């Protein structure tokens, strides 16, 4: 099965996606019978297109160069002119997918939100690594995808290496999710672990997460708890039909935590973790993000460095806890790949197994 991809965004995550896709091309063909080809790469000032799809070698070479605008074949143009970048690859011969790895504003979801809504209207499926459009208008996107009979996948926006949304949709199908708790941000977990175990200062620990490629380009989103809030909000809307906005989430980050506090908690047998929680309270869902000093016997207390964890409480299956999954660029890029493989399986199933 051929999947035609329009890749939006060629920053760290977009380039890593191109690299991973090129490297995994032979595996996808041999193991999944998927020929996933990029036809357009688009940034904020224009893009490059290849009507036959970029070969793995070319994609890999392009992924090694930082600036798309100085690469061969770059054409300036409005990235939101989807008739130029996406429409030519929608021809009924297999699905076309936009993989969105761009930055958008968390309040408005723009420019990604309008782009994704327009793409659905063209019959383009969506794999988004960007949280902002989902945060700003989750239900608008879900409804648009439903109306235009396209798929909306976002496993890379909800803790990437840790499979959260797919676990809810597949493994917990049929169950009511009563609460979701998670250590959902690698950067803050790494900082808290390094401050506690190595006695590093907050600034030094933060610097290390930047060097490791864990932190957001604007690490404020990590350390103030906003990134965790976005992830738990998306999960709560998707799994609990919470119908909440980011402004409904009470958020406390880790910026106020001192080494002295960490040492005091350690003497009491506790480790501090930044925990996002969504819980059913009557008919409502309450969502909160805050540092939690947890006793060492608590499973979450053992989740260290850049690892993440999630705990679901359900009516049918009781409590389920998962931990691990890499953080960083490769895991983020790999999540988009996972979404593509799952989409391909779905399309193949619909076509009767071809
Ligand atoms: N900066 C995030 C983290 C990754 O540290 O988990 C993207 O959400």
């Amino acid at each position: 099965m051929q999947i035609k991809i329009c890749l939006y965004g060629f920053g760290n995550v977009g380039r890593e996606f191109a690299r991973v896709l090129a490297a995994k091309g032979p595996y996808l063909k041999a193991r999944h019978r998927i020929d996933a080809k990029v036809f357009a790469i688009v940034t904020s000032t224009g893009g490059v297109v290849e009507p036959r799809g970029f070969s793995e070698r070319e994609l890999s070479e392009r992924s090694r160069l930082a600036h798309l605008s100085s690469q061969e074949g770059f054409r300036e143009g409005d990235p939101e002119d989807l008739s130029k970048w996406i429409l030519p690859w929608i021809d009924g011969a297999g699905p076309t997918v936009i993989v969105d790895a761009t930055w958008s504003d968390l309040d408005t979801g723009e420019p990604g939100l309008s782009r994704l809504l327009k793409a659905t209207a063209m019959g383009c499926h969506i794999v988004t690594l960007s949280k902002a459009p989902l945060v700003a208008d989750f239900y608008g996107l879900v409804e648009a995808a439903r109306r235009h009979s396209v798929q909306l996948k976002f496993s890379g926006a909800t803790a990437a290496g840790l499979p959260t949304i797919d676990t809810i949709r597949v493994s917990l199908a049929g169950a009511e999710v009563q609460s979701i708790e998670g250590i959902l941000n690698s950067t803050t977990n790494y900082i808290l672990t390094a401050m506690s175990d190595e006695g590093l200062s907050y600034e030094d620990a933060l610097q290390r997460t930047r060097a490791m490629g864990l932190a957001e380009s604007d690490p404020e989103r990590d350390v103030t708890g906003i990134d965790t809030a976005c992830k738990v909000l998306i999960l709560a809307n998707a799994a609990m039909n919470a119908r909440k906005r980011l402004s409904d989430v009470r958020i406390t980050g880790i910026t106020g935590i001192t080494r002295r506090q960490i040492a005091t908690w350690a003497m009491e047998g506790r480790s501090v973790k930044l925990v996002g929680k969504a819980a059913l309270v009557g008919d409502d869902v309450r969502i909160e993000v805050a540092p939690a000093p947890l006793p060492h016997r608590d499973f979450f207390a053992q989740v260290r460095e850049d690892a993440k964890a999630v705990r679901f409480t359900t009516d049918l299956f009781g409590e389920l806890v998962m931990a691990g999954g890499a953080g960083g660029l490769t895991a983020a890029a790999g999540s988009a790949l996972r979404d593509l493989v799952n989409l391909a399986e779905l399309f193949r199933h619909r076509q009767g197994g071809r």
Side-chain angles (χ1 to χ4, degrees):
M1 156 160 305
Q2 188 180 64
I3 296 192
K4 285 164 283 179
I5 299 166
C6 303
L7 172 60
Y8 266 71
F10 213 52
N12 290 340
V13 178
R15 289 208 317 280
E16 181 65 2
F17 171 75
R19 188 193 71 75
V20 169
L21 186 66
K24 296 284 282 193
Y27 178 81
L28 293 184
K29 286 188 197 92
R31 173 73 178 80
H32 295 286
R33 292 178 294 131
I34 297 170
D35 180 17
K37 270 210 162 77
V38 173
F39 282 69
I41 308 174
V42 188
T43 65
S44 58
T45 55
V48 292
V49 299
E50 169 48 68
R52 287 164 302 164
F54 291 108
S55 68
E56 279 148 20
R57 206 182 72 184
E58 188 173 356
L59 195 60
S60 164
E61 280 167 6
R62 287 186 183 274
S63 75
R64 280 190 230 119
L65 305 169
H67 299 290
L68 193 70
S69 56
S70 48
Q71 293 189 20
E72 198 185 323
F74 181 84
R75 283 194 282 149
E76 282 191 4
D78 178 4
E80 311 314 332
D81 181 2
L82 306 194
S83 62
K84 187 162 165 183
W85 308 112
I86 296 184
L87 197 58
W89 329 119
I90 299 182
D91 55 10
T96 305
V97 182
I98 176 172
V99 173
D100 194 349
T102 60
W103 182 92
S104 286
D105 179 79
L106 280 177
D107 290 327
T108 62
E110 299 299 351
L113 179 59
S114 296
R115 178 188 310 141
L116 296 182
L117 290 171
K118 268 196 270 175
T120 62
M122 289 177 160
C124 182
H125 304 277
I126 294 174
V127 168
T128 180
L129 289 159
S130 168
K131 289 178 268 291
L134 298 161
V135 167
D137 191 9
F138 181 80
Y139 292 98
L141 275 169
V142 168
E143 174 52 25
R146 193 199 56 75
R147 196 165 56 246
H148 299 293
S149 304
V150 296
Q151 297 297 315
L152 168 64
K153 302 286 278 181
F154 48 88
S155 78
T158 50
L162 180 72
T164 51
I165 190 68
D166 294 329
T167 302
I168 292 167
R169 294 209 158 148
V170 177
S171 306
L172 300 179
E176 179 182 65
V177 177
Q178 295 157 334
S179 72
I180 303 169
E181 290 165 274
I183 298 171
L184 299 171
N185 181 273
S186 295
T187 303
T188 44
N189 206 39
Y190 190 93
I191 292 172
L192 293 174
T193 309
M195 285 172 75
S196 142
D197 292 11
E198 300 178 52
L200 241 60
S201 70
Y202 169 81
E203 285 76 20
D204 287 348
L206 174 61
Q207 194 48 43
R208 212 191 266 178
T209 61
R210 295 179 99 159
M212 291 164 76
L214 293 177
E216 300 282 295
S217 47
D218 173 9
E220 280 294 297
R221 281 192 183 179
D222 294 301
V223 296
T224 56
I226 288 176
D227 182 69
T228 300
C230 291
K231 288 169 182 163
V232 73
L233 173 72
I234 297 168
L235 289 173
N237 281 336
M240 303 168 82
N241 196 23
R243 300 216 157 255
K244 295 290 177 187
R245 306 184 64 82
L246 192 56
S247 52
D248 298 320
V249 184
R250 280 178 44 193
I251 310 171
T252 312
I254 65 160
T255 49
I257 293 177
T258 61
R259 273 187 287 183
R260 180 187 289 234
Q261 266 178 320
I262 288 178
T264 307
W265 284 321
M267 280 191 298
E268 296 168 2
R270 295 191 289 167
S271 295
V272 66
K273 299 289 165 191
L274 185 66
V275 177
K277 180 168 183 177
L280 263 182
V281 181
D283 290 339
D284 196 18
V285 177
R286 301 245 172 94
I287 313 179
E288 187 176 5
V289 175
L294 301 169
H296 288 162
R297 65 173 184 281
D298 187 309
F299 187 89
F300 275 12
Q302 311 305 324
V303 178
R304 298 156 47 72
E305 301 187 342
D306 64 350
K308 289 173 279 198
V310 68
R311 179 187 285 128
F312 300 111
T313 310
T314 70
D315 58 350
L316 294 181
F317 305 119
E319 195 174 287
L320 173 78
V321 188
M322 280 192 310
L329 293 176
T330 304
S335 307
L337 196 80
R338 163 175 71 202
D339 284 349
L340 287 169
V341 171
N342 286 327
L343 278 181
E345 298 296 350
L346 183 75
F347 299 136
R348 188 175 286 135
H349 181 70
R350 284 186 183 166
Q351 290 174 1
R354 273 176 286 143

